[in-house]
Each structure stands twice: as structure tokens, then as C-alpha cells.
Amino acid sequence: MTTLTAADLGALARGAAVLGTGGGGDPHIGRLLAEQALRVHGPVEIVSVDDLPDDACVLPVAMMGAPTVMVEKLPSADQIAIAVRTLAKYVGKTPTHIACIEAGGVNSTVPVIAAAQLGLPLVDGDGMGRAFPELQMVLPTLAGIEATPMSIVDEKGNRGVFDTISNAWAERLARSATVDMGCSAIVSLYAMTGAEVRASFVPGTLSQCLATGRAIDAARRTLRDPVAAVVDRLGGRMLHVGKVVDVQRRTTTGFARGDATVDGLDTSLGRLLVLRFQNEHLVAEIDGAAVTTTPDLIIVLDTESGEPITTEALRYGQRVSVLAAPSDERWHSPAGIELVGPRYFGYDLDPIRALETV
Amino acid sequence: MTTLTAADLGALARGAAVLGTGGGGDPHIGRLLAEQALRVHGPVEIVSVDDLPDDACVLPVAMMGAPTVMVEKLPSADQIAIAVRTLAKYVGKTPTHIACIEAGGVNSTVPVIAAAQLGLPLVDGDGMGRAFPELQMVLPTLAGIEATPMSIVDEKGNRGVFDTISNAWAERLARSATVDMGCSAIVSLYAMTGAEVRASFVPGTLSQCLATGRAIDAARRTLRDPVAAVVDRLGGRMLHVGKVVDVQRRTTTGFARGDATVDGLDTSLGRLLVLRFQNEHLVAEIDGAAVTTTPDLIIVLDTESGEPITTEALRYGQRVSVLAAPSDERWHSPAGIELVGPRYFGYDLDPIRALETV
């Protein structure tokens, strides 16, 4: 068991935004919110997945909605704890642990806030090992675990609970409520026992986020290349280095969707890389041919600082490096590809792994 | 205390559809559903508002959605009872009585089904004295009573609970969920004590529905004019007699919206009457000038049989009589007009009462 303090949050949020593959929320905002919670409530205990009691009552919590909106509409002071309490009351259980459902600049720090406010330990793991745009897109779905009962809470004080016949129905009803609530909301869902967490989670995600964030910091301090440090840390590869020359963005049906074009500076890597995103980067194409697709990770970093750039922060003129890294192997099962593969998102492509040679 | 049996349901549904002013659901379907429940579970006790214990736990139940859809997508056998049970569990109370939130062919019979299935008495009253399209449009809203916690349940087995900061927010979130659920759902809401029901309900609505339905039956049997019988019963007046020559209809944002034109056969009543509806009839115009508006009742009956015609059943060629009748006086208060007056629905009109001389 380790302890997370305010001093860790910069590295945590930065590393989480790397794994967030463009989504999962802005790391600066995630850091500020969680730092405040830790200052008020003290540090949070981190519990490894292996140390969870089988009968633990684990309640994951996350922000749901369009990242383009999340950067302008912050959660209220008590919204996150209310989401957890609303679900706990509905299921009639006392939570023993809080967990992250995905990795991301906000979605790895919102659970820190919940854990701090409720005085509960936080599980070192998450439901994806990355971020995905829809709430059924978690490894617990592949393990047959139900997303609902789930709670959904807005910053104004509106609350809802959904109890659905499938995780896809949970996504559908919660997405509409999120849109009504102003395109962002806090949700608590996938209530699980410790045994279920062990069977379905990606273990060690918080540790991985911290290590990745610290690797970026360390490279900067020692004047090494922070982008190369991330490639090493995640066992990935460089896809492209260049300048953002076009960003098409629209916030529709509760998602931040769009495309970004990166003009290559090093022509040996191809000339134009296009990123297709729905909150997260889903497909990377170089000169018209897909080179990496979901479920593997497509990551955009500032070339000089190694700072992860979320999809809502992509801007003309940014000098960026685009990397690919492997996802959890369970995502490459037939059921995993059906849930989060390119065809689910409307791309007529077989999945292309990060380390495939094209 | 009286008892409602299967033999009463034809008159109940017919009279309720008259008060439903075009909305509230198809009386034939409402009758069939409730007859089946009474055959299985036995008759339902009707309790007058005056006889309710102050501390009674009254749970109203209704169908929410577009009447155009309700006629094709019926509730499942247990959906109605599940809606009541879901709300009861969330508020942690044992219901003692069921109630109607509005008068209508389905919304006066869905509560009969709930009462029969749950073995509970049914309150003789409702929250409007008519039907309105949005869920905050009830007299309990004017009395400061909260719509939520509310439950919402579909025929597939999806359930939700909303707990909102206002009754308008309850409408917004529940409407989106209703649309996702296929444009119709069962809701239980406005959980009230007996004292609150007495302070905010229209008393005697079920009795009024039964008497109106029986007046139509009796007139037919004795070869008197059933339309005149309804006018007498409700203290209303005839607006128009004619033939439906045009119906514009669209099911949008979860409502059945449109306009219908009735060409006058008796030119002394004007030539063209136009009905503007959103589930319910909201404005009646004759030759371009509004003659009656919400909150008063605009009712369309088959001229020969006196059968009420709901907005979704309006068809070219029908011979219809259009009547106006007064609504509960509380709807004419400034707060009532703000909640359900013509301007709320986008008509730049002061309300025109049923019995005003134009």
C-alpha cells in the first residue's frame, strides 16, 4: 500500500493524459481539482488490485461527456462524492474502495477526489488501461460485469440512477442525460466486488501513470528527449513528427469529434498524418493509409516538452509527436474488437496494432 | 368508497379521453389493458380525496411519451407495477394509494392497472383535471410539490430514477430518457402524502370521467345527441361542427405535434377551424382568430357517436364536433398561466377562456 499526496498529482495527471490517448480530460484541470481535495482532506491510500479483499465494495467514478465542455464546466465541490453516495444508497451497500474506470487527465484524478472526500482507499488499476469514449467500453463488460445500477449527477444538483438491461443501454440513457446536463456529468458505475475487480481490471494503471509522468519530468530535467522516454516507457513506436496544420472539430451527441492533420517535418515518416477522434484518437493515417487503429493507443505529445495534448487542446501550429503503443491484450480478443474496434466507430478497417509494420 | 370493476372501464376510458383534450392516450387501448388487469386481480377500490388519511403515501403513475407511439408500443405486463415499486424503493416508503396524474384514455387507466396489480386503492382525483403534454404541468407544481424522485421504466426492462432541482428539470431528463426508450415509458412521480393530495389535486376526476362516459352511452342508447350531453356535463360550449380536411402531424422531441383543419358544415359557426396540438389541443382558431386556448379544454368528438378522438387518431374525412370547456380555476392564476398558458407553448396570445364571447 502506498500513499498519494498533492506532490504526486502533476505526474499522475500528465501520465494519465498520455494513456488517455487524447481523451479522459485535461490534465491541468484534473490536477488542480485533485490537489485542492488532497489539501483539504489529506493524502489518499493506493491499494493494489492483488491486495483487495474478495468482498470489497468497489465503486468506480468518472466524468462523462465531451472534453471540449469539461474544460469550461468544472464539477461542483460535492458533485463527485454525491455521485458515489447516490450509487451506494441505491445498491444498499457501504463502499470500501474507489476506483478509476479509465485513464485520463481528469478521469484518473476525479477518483482521487472521491477517495479523499469519502476517506476511502483508491484501487491501483482501471477498467481500460487507456480511455475510450463510451461507457460500455471497459474490460469489465467483456467479463460480463454490469455497468448499472449507475448514478449520474450534475453540478447543479440534478441526480439520476439507471438500472438497465445491458451496458449499451446504460451508455445510451446516460449519454442523453449527460447532454441534457450540459454535456458533462459525474457518473459512478460498475459497482464491483474485489474479486470482480481482480478478474477484469488492468492492474497497476495509477502506478503506470505516475511512472510515465515522472519519466517525462525526468527527461526534461536531464535535457533528454521526453517523447523518447514515453516511447520507451510504453513499449511503443513513433508514428510521426510534425506541425498541426488543420483541426476539424465538432461537439455532437455529447462527444468531441473531429480530425486533425499533422504535416511531417521528417519526410522519412511520410508527409501528412491524419488523426480521427471521438473524444479519443481512434485511427491514425499516413498519406491516406491507416497505420494504427483502436484499440491500440494513439498518443499526441508536444515534441519539445513531451506534454500530452488532449484532442480538445489540439491547435494549428503545434509541434507534435504522434506515438502508437500497445493496449491490454484482452482488447484484441474477438469480443474486444467488436466492442471497441475500428468498425464499431464506422471505419471499414481491420484493427492495426501499434507495433505492426505497415 | 366505491369499487371499480371491468364493466366500468369502457365509460371510464371514454370519459377520460374527453377530458384528455386529444392527449392522455387512446381510450380503446387503455380500456383493454385495464380490463385484463381487473380480470386477473379483481376490482379496485376508489377512495375520495376527502377520505385519504393525511399521512397516506400516494404514488401517481402514468404513461409518458408521444401518443402516436403509444398506440403501437404497449406496456409490458409488469412494467407499470415495476415503475411504482422502483419509486417506492427509492423513497424508502410503502405506498398506500395509487393516483392518476392526468385524465386521459390511457393515463386514467394505467393507474387502475397499477392499483389492481399492487392491491392498492385508487384516488378519485388527478393532478390536472385534464391532460397536458409536459410532466411539470400539474397543479401540485403550483402547490410547490416536487415531481421527483421519479421512476421511469420501459417495456424492455430498463429502469431509471431522477431526483432533480426543479420539476422543469424532471421533464427535461425524463423526456430524453422517454425518447431513448422508444418514445413511450411508464413513470411514477409526485409521491405525495394524503394531505398534499387534498391540497393540490382536482377532486373527483375519476367520477367525472365515469359520468361523462356514461352520459355519452346514455345519449346514444336513447337516441339523443351525445355531443350535447358532453357539452352539458362539462358546462362547455360548441366551437365548431365539420369535417376534418387536413392533418399535419410530426412526432418530434418525444411529442406528437401538429395542426388539424376542420371545414365547417354549419357556416354560422365560421368556415375553417384550426386546432394546434402538442399531444393535447392547445389553441383553436376559427377563420384565423383564436377562440379558445390552453388552459381551457378543447375537445374533439365524433359528431354522430360522441366518441372522443385523440390527436393521433385525427384523420381526413372524419365528421367531428369541437367543444370548449372550462379548466380548473387554479390554472387561470398567474402562476398557472405561466406554466401552461399559450405563451409557454410559443403562441403569442393571452389565454382565451372556453366560455368567453369572441
Side-chain angles (χ1 to χ4, degrees):
Chain A
M1 198 168 70
T2 57
T3 297
L4 192 75
T5 69
D8 300 316
L9 286 172
L12 175 68
R14 179 175 293 121
V18 171
L19 294 184
T21 70
D26 181 84
H28 181 63
I29 288 172
R31 173 188 182 161
L32 292 179
L33 291 169
E35 277 179 349
Q36 188 183 22
L38 292 190
R39 270 198 303 273
V40 174
H41 301 283
V44 164
E45 286 177 17
I46 305 295
V47 179
S48 87
V49 164
D50 290 336
D51 293 340
L52 273 177
D54 276 353
D55 62 352
C57 172
V58 182
L59 297 191
V61 60
M63 188 174 255
M64 177 165 185
T68 37
V69 170
M70 290 178 195
V71 294
E72 300 189 8
K73 187 165 82 77
L74 301 184
S76 71
D78 50 2
Q79 185 183 352
I80 296 166
I82 289 172
V84 175
R85 288 200 184 102
T86 299
L87 178 58
K89 189 186 163 205
Y90 188 85
V91 298
K93 289 184 183 159
T94 303
T96 61
H97 297 74
I98 299 296
C100 305
I101 204 68
E102 71 175 9
V106 165
N107 274 339
S108 293
T109 53
V110 156
V112 173
I113 299 167
Q117 291 185 335
L118 298 166
L120 293 174
L122 181 62
V123 175
D124 185 6
D126 84 313
M128 308 184 197
R130 49 164 295 163
F132 275 123
E134 301 183 11
L135 71 71
Q136 77 280 15
M137 296 175 171
V138 296
L139 294 170
T141 295
L142 296 184
I145 293 167
E146 293 184 353
T148 69
M150 69 172 286
S151 64
I152 183 164
V153 172
D154 74 14
E155 77 292 349
K156 295 172 279 295
N158 292 306
R159 282 173 288 161
V161 174
F162 294 114
D163 204 342
T164 61
I165 54 172
S166 71
N167 294 357
W169 267 105
E171 160 67 23
R172 184 165 170 178
L173 292 169
R175 189 68 52 184
S176 291
T178 297
V179 171
D180 283 333
M181 287 172 166
C183 268
S184 82
I186 299 288
V187 293
S188 186
L189 67 181
Y190 291 102
M192 273 184 260
T193 65
E196 287 173 325
V197 167
R198 224 179 341 271
S200 68
F201 257 41
V202 176
T205 310
L206 289 180
S207 299
Q208 172 73 299
C209 293
L210 279 164
T212 305
R214 286 175 184 147
I216 295 171
D217 290 341
R220 281 188 211 162
R221 275 199 311 274
T222 56
L223 304 179
R224 288 178 295 122
D225 178 3
V227 172
V230 173
V231 171
D232 286 351
R233 175 82 221 159
L234 301 182
R237 70 171 175 119
M238 288 293 298
L239 291 179
H240 205 57
V241 179
K243 187 176 92 164
V244 177
V245 294
D246 193 29
V247 183
Q248 301 284 338
R249 198 197 311 281
R250 52 196 190 284
T251 301
T252 54
T253 63
F255 296 106
R257 299 171 193 265
D259 315 286
T261 304
V262 180
D263 196 352
L265 301 176
D266 175 350
T267 50
S268 73
L269 291 165
R271 210 176 71 79
L272 283 180
L273 177 137
V274 175
L275 297 160
R276 315 275 183 199
F277 58 85
Q278 175 183 334
N279 291 8
E280 283 75 33
H281 295 298
L282 300 172
V283 175
E285 300 168 3
I286 292 182
D287 292 340
V291 291
T292 303
T293 71
T294 174
D296 278 3
L297 286 65
I298 300 163
I299 297 161
V300 178
L301 302 180
D302 181 280
T303 298
E304 194 178 343
S305 68
E307 200 68 28
I309 301 177
T310 53
T311 55
E312 75 274 12
L314 281 169
R315 296 283 181 278
Y316 177 87
Q318 287 167 332
R319 304 293 169 135
V320 299
S321 296
V322 183
L323 338 177
S327 62
D328 188 279
E329 195 53 34
R330 288 168 281 183
W331 286 126
H332 286 281
S333 66
I337 294 300
E338 192 180 344
L339 197 61
V340 301
R343 288 200 166 79
Y344 177 88
F345 295 102
Y347 301 101
D348 188 20
L349 294 169
D350 290 325
I352 305 174
R353 287 178 183 254
L355 302 182
E356 256 172 58
T357 308
V358 185
Chain B
M1 197 167 70
T2 57
T3 297
L4 192 75
T5 69
D8 301 315
L9 285 173
L12 175 68
R14 180 175 292 121
V18 172
L19 293 185
T21 69
D26 181 86
H28 180 63
I29 288 173
R31 174 188 183 162
L32 291 179
L33 292 169
E35 277 179 350
Q36 187 182 22
L38 292 189
R39 269 198 302 273
V40 173
H41 300 282
V44 163
E45 287 177 16
I46 306 295
V47 179
S48 87
V49 164
D50 291 336
D51 292 340
L52 273 177
D54 276 352
D55 62 352
C57 173
V58 182
L59 296 192
V61 61
M63 189 174 254
M64 178 165 184
T68 36
V69 171
M70 289 179 197
V71 295
E72 299 190 8
K73 187 165 83 76
L74 300 184
S76 71
D78 48 2
Q79 186 183 352
I80 297 166
I82 288 173
V84 175
R85 287 199 186 104
T86 299
L87 179 58
K89 187 185 163 207
Y90 188 84
V91 298
K93 290 184 184 161
T94 304
T96 60
H97 296 76
I98 299 296
C100 305
I101 204 69
E102 72 175 10
V106 165
N107 273 339
S108 294
T109 53
V110 156
V112 172
I113 298 166
Q117 291 184 334
L118 298 166
L120 293 174
L122 181 62
V123 174
D124 185 5
D126 84 315
M128 307 185 198
R130 52 166 292 164
F132 275 122
E134 301 183 11
L135 71 70
Q136 77 279 15
M137 297 175 170
V138 296
L139 294 171
T141 294
L142 297 184
I145 294 167
E146 294 183 354
T148 69
M150 70 172 286
S151 64
I152 182 162
V153 173
D154 74 13
E155 78 292 350
K156 295 172 280 293
N158 293 305
R159 284 173 287 160
V161 174
F162 294 114
D163 203 341
T164 60
I165 54 171
S166 70
N167 293 357
W169 267 105
E171 160 67 21
R172 185 164 169 180
L173 292 169
R175 188 68 53 183
S176 291
T178 298
V179 171
D180 283 332
M181 286 171 166
C183 269
S184 80
I186 299 289
V187 292
S188 185
L189 67 180
Y190 291 102
M192 272 183 262
T193 65
E196 287 174 324
V197 167
R198 219 174 352 264
S200 68
F201 257 41
V202 177
T205 310
L206 288 180
S207 299
Q208 171 74 298
C209 292
L210 279 164
T212 304
R214 285 173 184 148
I216 295 171
D217 290 341
R220 282 188 209 159
R221 276 199 311 273
T222 56
L223 305 180
R224 288 176 297 122
D225 178 4
V227 172
V230 172
V231 172
D232 286 351
R233 174 82 221 156
L234 302 182
R237 71 173 174 116
M238 290 291 297
L239 291 179
H240 206 57
V241 179
K243 187 176 92 163
V244 177
V245 293
D246 193 28
V247 183
Q248 301 286 337
R249 198 195 314 277
R250 55 196 188 283
T251 301
T252 54
T253 64
F255 296 105
R257 299 170 193 266
D259 314 285
T261 305
V262 180
D263 196 352
L265 301 176
D266 174 349
T267 50
S268 72
L269 290 166
R271 209 176 72 81
L272 283 180
L273 176 137
V274 175
L275 297 160
R276 315 276 182 198
F277 58 84
Q278 174 183 335
N279 291 9
E280 284 76 30
H281 296 297
L282 299 172
V283 174
E285 300 167 3
I286 292 183
D287 293 340
V291 292
T292 304
T293 72
T294 174
D296 278 4
L297 285 67
I298 299 164
I299 298 160
V300 178
L301 303 179
D302 180 280
T303 298
E304 195 177 343
S305 68
E307 201 67 29
I309 302 176
T310 53
T311 55
E312 75 276 11
L314 281 169
R315 296 285 182 276
Y316 177 88
Q318 286 167 333
R319 304 293 167 133
V320 299
S321 296
V322 183
L323 340 178
S327 62
D328 187 280
E329 195 54 33
R330 288 168 283 185
W331 285 126
H332 286 280
S333 67
I337 294 301
E338 193 182 345
L339 197 62
V340 300
R343 288 199 166 79
Y344 178 88
F345 294 102
Y347 301 101
D348 188 20
L349 293 170
D350 291 326
I352 305 173
R353 287 177 181 255
L355 302 183
E356 258 172 56
T357 309
V358 184

